[in-house]
Amino acid sequence: MAYKKIDGVKPFNELQLRSCYYHQMAAAYTAFGIEPQIIAGNYLPLYEFDAKKKEMKIKPFEILDENILEDLTGVHRDRYKKVDELEKFATEQINAGHPVLLMVDCFYLDYREDTYLQTHVAHSILIYGYDSEKRIFIINEHMFRNSYKYIEKFVPMHVIITAYNNFIDRLMKNGFSLIVFQKKRDVENIELDILKRKISSMKKELRKSVRNFGKCIDFIRVNLSEREKFDKIKDTIISYIGEARRYKNTQRNLLGFLFDKGELYSIADRIVENYIFIYGLIVKMKAMNQYNTQFIRKILARCDELLELESKLHAGLMRGDYA
């Protein structure tokens, strides 16, 4: 077969998810008629604090594990550590109607001007078609650099194969380089309320997240109290606030996308505003090499508000009250 394309694959462009991997996951499920909301919404950021290492973290968790998702969608995922003959493997999977999510090294993608021959960065693409005569793969990919919008692209096979092989050699850390999606059975309509019910059942994890967030705020307060402490820890705080801002922005947008813009969306929106404000002031102090006490007071006031807002958000998630 010279040409084959899996029909029904739709890019997920409604909002920016936490990474390209999840955009490709959402697109892969559409090949089987599964609307992307259940994949996009399978996301809950929780706070962590390591007292020994004095590390602040916010980590995204999948609300529904892979087995539950398979029961809900009828779609099975097969992971592969390495495929030696990618062209043969991918074309066989496409012929069988199975889209292939592939990990690649952006350094070798000649259509990515921001990274080509400049930076080794892990990236995910979805292969769902090919033309063996023209020697191209049909993939789901960014519309242009620095955009979360995805479109159909036609890319030479040798470019994808080189980028894939070099991902394995240079960047692979999590034990797999490729996922194949297969439809195992038909399913009824998927109710998004399962996400609410599952989150509500995670009371232990949510309460721990609130406690950890309080410890993160205490850690920030202590290290903003003196110039010497601030100078030592400012890069760590900037990194943490930037990461929290990104994950909370995704959570806010998903609350609005999946469950309408109710009270929890408004709380999450204000949380994002506070993170943007704090990030901007700390970056400004670093750039100016200053310890501005007026800025510090404003940051601490926003930290107090963040603690109150996160307590309300976590409590609302436990109650399942999204209105």
Side-chain angles (χ1 to χ4, degrees):
M1 190 177 296
Y3 177 89
K4 175 70 175 179
K5 175 182 167 183
I6 299 173
D7 293 328
V9 174
K10 295 184 245 179
F12 181 78
N13 289 330
E14 282 76 3
L15 56 94
Q16 185 171 8
L17 300 179
R18 58 186 129 155
S19 70
C20 56
Y21 174 81
Y22 290 94
H23 276 273
Q24 304 296 10
M25 287 271 289
Y29 277 79
T30 64
F32 309 106
I34 306 298
E35 292 300 317
Q37 287 89 337
I38 194 68
I39 305 301
N42 191 26
Y43 169 82
L44 181 66
L46 298 176
Y47 291 99
E48 296 184 352
F49 184 77
D50 189 321
K52 291 183 179 179
K53 296 181 180 179
K54 303 296 183 184
E55 285 184 352
M56 303 174 291
K57 294 181 181 179
I58 180 168
K59 283 191 172 182
F61 288 86
E62 293 189 355
I63 302 162
L64 308 174
D65 67 27
E66 200 164 317
N67 291 328
I68 294 175
L69 267 180
E70 183 170 338
D71 288 340
L72 280 174
T73 64
V75 176
H76 177 74
R77 303 180 209 167
D78 278 322
R79 286 181 171 82
Y80 293 80
K81 185 174 182 178
K82 181 181 179 181
V83 170
D84 291 323
E85 296 182 50
L86 180 62
E87 179 184 347
K88 180 175 182 294
F89 180 87
T91 54
E92 288 175 351
Q93 296 301 326
I94 300 305
N95 289 340
H98 305 154
V100 178
L101 190 155
L102 198 70
M103 305 301 296
V104 295
D105 183 348
C106 285
F107 185 89
Y108 299 94
L109 300 178
D110 57 6
Y111 57 87
R112 289 285 300 265
E113 295 179 4
D114 53 332
T115 57
Y116 181 54
L117 300 182
Q118 298 178 57
T119 310
H120 294 281
V121 179
H123 181 49
S124 302
I125 62 172
L126 185 72
I127 302 177
Y128 59 97
Y130 68 87
D131 187 324
S132 57
E133 291 184 356
K134 294 182 179 178
R135 310 291 302 148
I136 60 170
F137 281 128
I138 303 170
I139 69 170
N140 187 49
E141 179 59 296
H142 292 288
M143 183 182 299
F144 47 84
R145 65 179 182 175
N146 300 326
S147 169
Y148 72 84
K149 298 289 186 181
Y150 288 77
I151 60 171
E152 181 173 278
K153 284 192 175 182
F154 302 88
V155 181
M157 288 181 175
H158 74 272
V159 171
I160 300 297
I161 292 169
T162 300
Y164 171 71
N165 289 333
N166 278 277
F167 168 83
I168 293 171
D169 293 340
R170 293 175 175 272
L171 301 174
M172 188 167 69
K173 296 178 181 178
N174 58 7
F176 70 90
S177 64
L178 182 151
I179 303 175
V180 174
F181 300 83
Q182 301 180 48
K183 184 70 172 288
K184 293 294 186 179
R185 60 183 178 83
D186 292 326
V187 296
E188 301 294 330
N189 290 335
I190 300 170
E191 296 293 336
L192 290 179
D193 277 356
I194 190 172
L195 294 172
K196 294 182 182 180
R197 294 194 297 272
K198 180 62 176 176
I199 293 172
S200 293
S201 72
M202 298 173 64
K203 290 180 173 59
K204 180 180 178 181
E205 292 85 353
L206 287 163
R207 289 184 181 121
K208 184 178 180 181
S209 177
V210 172
R211 291 195 300 271
N212 284 334
F213 184 60
K215 294 173 183 177
C216 292
I217 293 297
D218 288 342
F219 182 76
I220 291 172
R221 285 193 187 108
V222 168
N223 286 285
L224 291 181
S225 63
E226 299 174 11
R227 172 68 186 258
E228 186 177 354
K229 290 180 179 179
F230 172 74
D231 285 341
K232 289 180 179 179
I233 206 72
K234 59 189 174 188
D235 287 335
T236 298
I237 295 176
I238 288 170
S239 176
Y240 167 72
I241 296 296
E243 187 173 60
R245 176 189 60 177
R246 180 166 64 91
Y247 285 140
K248 284 293 171 174
N249 183 63
T250 299
Q251 183 181 32
R252 182 226 13 220
N253 292 340
L254 283 170
L255 285 169
F257 175 64
L258 298 174
F259 307 116
D260 299 322
K261 295 184 178 181
E263 182 182 359
L264 290 192
Y265 173 87
S266 297
I267 293 171
D269 188 53
R270 181 61 181 169
I271 287 171
V272 173
E273 286 180 14
N274 278 307
Y275 274 126
I276 291 172
F277 181 86
I278 292 169
Y279 184 85
L281 286 190
I282 295 179
V283 168
K284 188 172 183 178
M285 284 195 292
K286 177 185 176 181
M288 298 174 66
N289 194 27
Q290 289 183 352
Y291 179 76
N292 187 309
T293 55
Q294 185 178 359
F295 283 4
I296 296 295
R297 285 195 297 271
K298 289 181 178 181
I299 291 169
L300 292 177
R302 294 295 184 118
C303 285
D304 290 340
E305 184 182 356
L306 272 175
L307 191 55
E308 180 181 353
L309 289 167
E310 283 290 6
S311 296
K312 289 180 179 179
L313 180 62
H314 283 65
L317 293 171
M318 283 188 272
R319 291 193 308 269
D321 183 9
Y322 291 69

